[in-house]
Structures are given as structure tokens and as C-alpha cells.
Amino acid sequence: LGDDIGFFEAAEVIGMADDAARSVRTKKDSSLVRAAELVRDGRASAMISAGNTGATVASALLRMGRIKGVSRPAVAAPIPVPGSHPTTLLDAGAMAECQPGWLVQFAQMGSAYSSVRYGIESPRVGLLSIGEEAEKGTALVKETHALLVALDGIDFVGNVEGRDVMTGAVDVVVTDGFSGNVVLKTLEGGLKTIINAVAAALMSPEASAFGAEALDLLAPLAADYDPDNTGGAMLLGVEGVCLISHGSSSSTAIVNACLAVRDLIEAGVTESMRAAVSRSVKPH
Amino acid sequence: LGDDIGFFEAAEVIGMADDAARSVRTKKDSSLVRAAELVRDGRASAMISAGNTGATVASALLRMGRIKGVSRPAVAAPIPVPGSHPTTLLDAGAMAECQPGWLVQFAQMGSAYSSVRYGIESPRVGLLSIGEEAEKGTALVKETHALLVALDGIDFVGNVEGRDVMTGAVDVVVTDGFSGNVVLKTLEGGLKTIINAVAAALMSPEASAFGAEALDLLAPLAADYDPDNTGGAMLLGVEGVCLISHGSSSSTAIVNACLAVRDLIEAGVTESMRAAVSRSVKPH
């Protein structure tokens, strides 16, 4: 452990099932609240949390504050794409119900984030819907679509569907926090189910002659889909770096989150978010 | 081909990208419209469509009519669960925006459908949300949750998340048509991506010694997740049997849809739907 790593004590704990807003208000000496304060005060460069996501969002929002002009923050989650950089999905759960203007800012911030994190010059941005046609989807999707078509500064390619999220068809998928969280957890559950089924088949007696070799060959593939290796999701729109790691994170996941945070800070991620939302007329 | 199979001509075609409501109104001699009329007139026992889903729903709704008391119809899609019967997901795309009372009826119809189709005595019904707690999710989810807790006649187990959809944690997952369609297509895309990646790895030169054997062993697994083998989704809440097959259906898929339709009719699926929605006070 290097000399330059300091420790700060926190006596309280916000549990995974605690109410987000209430716990941040009442448990002021929890690590979730203290970490956000250290970032706000310039004593830490970033906070990383594998704890209660709602409380992490609330703590970062209340202690660090929103970037000027940002209506609502959003969680930008990496979706693995075989043979390519991850697709950025946002909002993955910060705001369950959204307004069109918020989604427009998610598109701006998501595009800037995809550039900073994965080095993509002009990220292709898609809006999640249930058909490619502009007239399909909810009122929220239709209004957001019209605003994004009229927006300068990002490469909006139109609506995308759930089946496009893992194919690399776009670099950024914009949606409300309910749908985004549903996508993230559906993929997580579905991939886990099929990876487990493949592993069970290859460990069965029928596969005794070749199962071990096949599993070795497929191991890197399973690693690609392991949330431990993605570096975590970032909360965009707050005045500081806040990374959200999976609730079941291993030590590898936290190390990868630290490495991601270092790169993001060096690349000026917070400055990029400020620039992204100031670039155009403020959406209504 | 048996003597008892009749053919009925239809001169017009509703394309996959055609507007649903408009095409059903203007293309009255399309097979989609004619098939719904044959069911309405008792000249066909059911309609099966692998075409435009929106137009299929519109045609069935306009020609067959709604079951008395049903606010809105819903598409009930089978989600494969390894080693078990499929989970019924509804609405998978008929109604993009829903009201709480509609979702309550989806729960009633989905529960009855799960019983009829998979022989489950008392299906466990979950409401899709972004956390298990009753206070999480959108206003729609919270209001629906309260109504379902107070409802008799179904086994409502509470909120479920996207990760529970493929695990068999519940027999029925209730949600609005936007989220349901997103879940269905996200799983479809995600599973296809990983199945293709596994197949590519096992067909690579590194796997030459055992790849073919491993692929043979894994083939039944891939078949479990192939929409061709599920028998298709059913439109619930209309006065007749309407099965919706995947747009890329093979002849196998259509045969499986015919077999599913036969079983559903023998089990009295439409009568079960009528009973399901009449069983309790009509939700507001």
C-alpha cells in the first residue's frame, strides 16, 4: 500500500435495502456520505461504491451537486459487445421516470462519455424504443426523438431496439432509468443463465473427453461478460467522479474501477460533461 | 395435406413496416384481416401470424372484438427457462403505454394462461420493477403493486427484476408493452450474441480436436432458446385465438404454433380468459 493512500473513518453503514434519500439524510457518518464529501472538498479524486445504488446517487447528488445546467444525473453503464468497446447505456437506474429534456441531456452526456472513456470520435447515439420508426413507442420516446433529430453536436442515428444493445449497432443507447435498469438486469440474468447452462453441459459425464478443454477455450468469452471486468458504471451530471460498481463486486472489480477512474480523471471527464450540456440551447 | 384443410384467398399484403391501424383499415383483403374474420365467423378455430405484430393485434382486436370486461388486450410471450416450463411475459408489445387497471387484468389473464398452457395450478405472478421493494419503480408500478396486493384469485408474489425473468422465480411477469417488448428483444439479442460467440469459438482452429463434439452436445441447449420451438406468443383478451409467431419463423415454428393452438383450444383458453377477468371487481 503506497504512502499516498489515506484512510478516513466512517462509523455508520447504509444497507443495500435502506431507503436511499432517508438514509443519506440520517446516516451522515456513513462511508457513502463521507466519500461524496471528500470528493466535494477536493480531498479525494473520486468515489467508488459497490453499495446501495440509490443511496450512492443521492449522496453524490446532494454532496457534490449537479453540474450547472444539468436537469438530472444519469447512470452510464457499460454493456459488453463481443470484439468491440462496450455500448454505453444510460440512464441505467438513477431516474425511474424521465422527461424528454432530460433524455436529450443524457444523449449529450452519454456521447461525451463514450468519447472520453472509449476514445470514439463521433459516437453513434440511439434512442431505445420498440420499433425503429419515429412514430413507435411511448409519448416520452416520440417527443425525445423529435428533440434529438433537431439537436446539434451529437450523431443521433434514430431509434434502436433491445436486440441492438449488445451488437455494437450504436455506441450509446439513451433511455429512461426504468427501462435502462430493466435492460441491464435482463441481460445480466439472461447471460448468467446461459453461461451456467453451457458450463453445466461441458462438466457433465457426456463431455468428459473434451469438457475441460472446451471450458478453457470459452473462459475468455465468459470473462468478457463478467461485470467484474467492465470497470463499473459512472454517474454523469454531478460535480465530481462517482463510479458505481456491481453489488457482487470482487476485489478485481474494485481494482478495475480504480483504473477506470484514473483514466477518466486524466481525460477530464467532468469538464467534458460540463461542455456537453452547455453546447446547445437548453432543452425544455 | 388433409381434406379438412381449406384455403381462403386474400389479394392484399400488409408489410412488416406498414402502419398497423391504417393498413388494417385500408387493406381489407389482406390475409391478416381475412384470417381474423374467419375466426370471428367461426370458419377458422384460430389465426397464426408471423407478420406485422401491430397489424395482427389491430386486426384481431377490430374483427374478433374484446372479451367483455377486458380494458386492453396483451401479448403473452413465452420466455425460456432452462429445465422448466417457460415464464409468461405480458404485455410483450400490444400496448406501449398502460394504466394500472390494465396491468391488473394482464396479471389475471397471464395467470389463467400459464395454467392453461403449462398446467400450473397456481402460477406465481410477479410485477416487473427495478427493485423488489413496493416503493421502488414508476408511479405505474407502485399503483399496480397496491392493486395486485389487494386482488383475490391470483398468487401475486411482489415485484421482480429483469434478472428474474429467465430463472423461473415466477411463472408470470406482468409489465407494460414498452418494457415487455424491451425485455423480449434484449433477451433475444443477448442470447443470440452469446450463442454465436460460443459457436464461433468452438468452430475455431483452436477447437479442432473437440469443437464438433462440443457443439453437438450444446445443440439441444441452443434449441431451448430458439423462438422456433416455443410455439409463439398469444394475444390475450380478444374473442378468439390469435397466436403471434416470430417474424423470422421457420416452417418448424409454424408447425409448433399449430400444435400449441390445438392444445389451447382443447383446454378452453378463451373461456379461461373470460373467467379470469370476471372473477373480481373490475379494476378502475
Side-chain angles (χ1 to χ4, degrees):
Chain A
L1 201 62
D3 284 342
D4 52 345
I5 297 187
F7 282 91
F8 300 87
E9 302 225 355
E12 290 177 293
V13 174
I14 296 180
M16 292 300 261
D18 284 0
D19 178 76
R22 195 183 319 127
S23 57
V24 169
R25 212 164 46 236
T26 56
K27 295 184 176 175
K28 289 184 177 145
D29 198 25
S30 61
S31 57
L32 267 182
V33 175
R34 289 288 179 225
E37 287 174 352
L38 289 167
V39 175
R40 175 196 64 193
D41 300 341
R43 299 172 74 194
S45 303
M47 71 181 279
I48 297 170
S49 169
N52 184 319
T53 299
T56 304
V57 171
S59 173
L61 193 55
L62 292 171
R63 291 302 190 271
M64 302 179 189
R66 266 182 256 175
I67 288 174
K68 192 165 176 274
V70 166
S71 297
R72 292 292 184 284
V75 173
I79 306 292
V81 175
S84 183
H85 60 270
T87 295
T88 299
L89 173 76
L90 79 169
D91 172 29
M95 296 290 140
E97 287 179 279
C98 291
Q99 296 176 13
W102 306 356
L103 293 193
V104 170
Q105 289 192 329
F106 296 174
Q108 294 175 311
M109 293 194 293
S111 175
Y113 182 70
S114 180
S115 289
V116 169
R117 183 142 184 195
Y118 305 113
I120 302 152
E121 206 172 320
S122 181
R124 294 154 303 160
V125 178
L127 177 65
L128 186 67
S129 187
I130 58 174
E132 289 181 8
E133 305 83 354
E135 65 273 11
K136 285 216 176 153
T138 58
L140 172 67
V141 168
K142 288 180 226 177
E143 286 173 43
T144 304
H145 186 104
L147 291 173
L148 288 174
V149 165
L151 185 74
D152 286 333
I154 67 162
D155 181 14
F156 176 56
V157 299
N159 291 353
V160 293
E161 298 185 73
R163 66 169 69 103
D164 304 313
V165 170
M166 270 188 74
T167 61
V170 289
D171 303 300
V172 179
V173 173
V174 173
T175 189
D176 62 273
F178 187 86
S179 304
N181 196 265
V182 163
V183 165
L184 193 67
K185 288 180 179 162
T186 297
L187 271 182
E188 187 188 317
L191 297 181
K192 194 173 167 183
T193 298
I194 198 155
I195 287 171
N196 287 349
V198 167
L202 292 175
M203 288 189 286
S204 68
E206 291 81 5
S208 57
F210 57 86
E213 273 182 285
L215 278 172
D216 279 350
L217 184 79
L218 296 176
L221 204 64
D224 278 351
Y225 299 107
D226 188 338
D228 271 9
N229 299 325
T230 62
M234 183 168 167
L235 181 66
L236 305 183
V238 293
E239 277 291 354
V241 175
C242 172
L243 222 72
I244 298 170
S245 201
H246 196 276
S248 63
S249 290
S250 65
S251 52
T252 306
I254 301 299
V255 169
N256 283 325
C258 291
L259 295 173
V261 153
R262 181 199 58 190
D263 294 347
L264 286 165
I265 292 169
E266 283 178 4
V269 66
T270 308
E271 294 74 14
S272 294
M273 292 305 120
R274 287 190 205 111
V277 294
S278 71
R279 212 182 288 143
S280 66
V281 288
K282 202 181 159 217
H284 58 259
Chain B
L1 200 60
D3 284 344
D4 53 343
I5 297 188
F7 281 91
F8 299 88
E9 302 226 355
E12 290 179 294
V13 174
I14 295 180
M16 292 300 262
D18 282 1
D19 178 75
R22 196 183 320 127
S23 57
V24 169
R25 211 164 46 235
T26 56
K27 295 184 176 176
K28 289 183 177 148
D29 197 26
S30 60
S31 58
L32 268 182
V33 175
R34 290 289 180 225
E37 287 173 352
L38 291 167
V39 175
R40 176 196 65 193
D41 299 341
R43 300 173 73 195
S45 304
M47 70 182 278
I48 297 171
S49 169
N52 184 320
T53 300
T56 304
V57 170
S59 175
L61 193 55
L62 292 171
R63 291 302 191 270
M64 301 179 191
R66 266 181 257 176
I67 288 174
K68 192 164 177 276
V70 167
S71 297
R72 292 292 185 284
V75 173
I79 306 291
V81 175
S84 184
H85 59 271
T87 296
T88 299
L89 172 76
L90 79 168
D91 173 28
M95 296 290 141
E97 286 178 281
C98 290
Q99 296 176 12
W102 307 355
L103 293 193
V104 170
Q105 289 192 328
F106 295 174
Q108 294 175 312
M109 294 194 291
S111 175
Y113 182 69
S114 180
S115 290
V116 169
R117 182 142 184 194
Y118 305 113
I120 302 153
E121 205 174 319
S122 182
R124 295 154 302 161
V125 178
L127 176 65
L128 186 67
S129 187
I130 57 174
E132 289 179 9
E133 305 83 356
E135 64 274 13
K136 285 215 177 156
T138 58
L140 172 67
V141 168
K142 288 180 228 178
E143 287 173 40
T144 304
H145 186 104
L147 291 172
L148 287 175
V149 165
L151 185 74
D152 286 334
I154 66 162
D155 181 15
F156 176 56
V157 300
N159 291 353
V160 294
E161 298 185 73
R163 65 169 71 103
D164 304 314
V165 171
M166 271 187 74
T167 60
V170 289
D171 303 300
V172 179
V173 173
V174 173
T175 189
D176 62 273
F178 187 86
S179 303
N181 196 265
V182 164
V183 164
L184 193 67
K185 288 180 178 163
T186 297
L187 271 183
E188 186 188 318
L191 296 181
K192 192 172 169 185
T193 298
I194 198 155
I195 286 170
N196 287 348
V198 167
L202 292 175
M203 289 189 284
S204 69
E206 291 82 4
S208 56
F210 56 85
E213 273 182 286
L215 277 172
D216 279 349
L217 184 78
L218 296 176
L221 204 63
D224 279 351
Y225 299 107
D226 188 338
D228 270 10
N229 300 324
T230 62
M234 182 167 166
L235 181 66
L236 305 183
V238 293
E239 276 291 353
V241 175
C242 173
L243 222 74
I244 298 170
S245 201
H246 197 277
S248 64
S249 290
S250 66
S251 52
T252 307
I254 301 299
V255 169
N256 283 325
C258 291
L259 295 173
V261 153
R262 181 199 59 191
D263 293 347
L264 286 165
I265 292 170
E266 282 177 4
V269 66
T270 308
E271 294 74 14
S272 294
M273 292 306 120
R274 286 191 205 110
V277 295
S278 70
R279 211 182 290 142
S280 67
V281 288
K282 203 182 159 213
H284 56 260

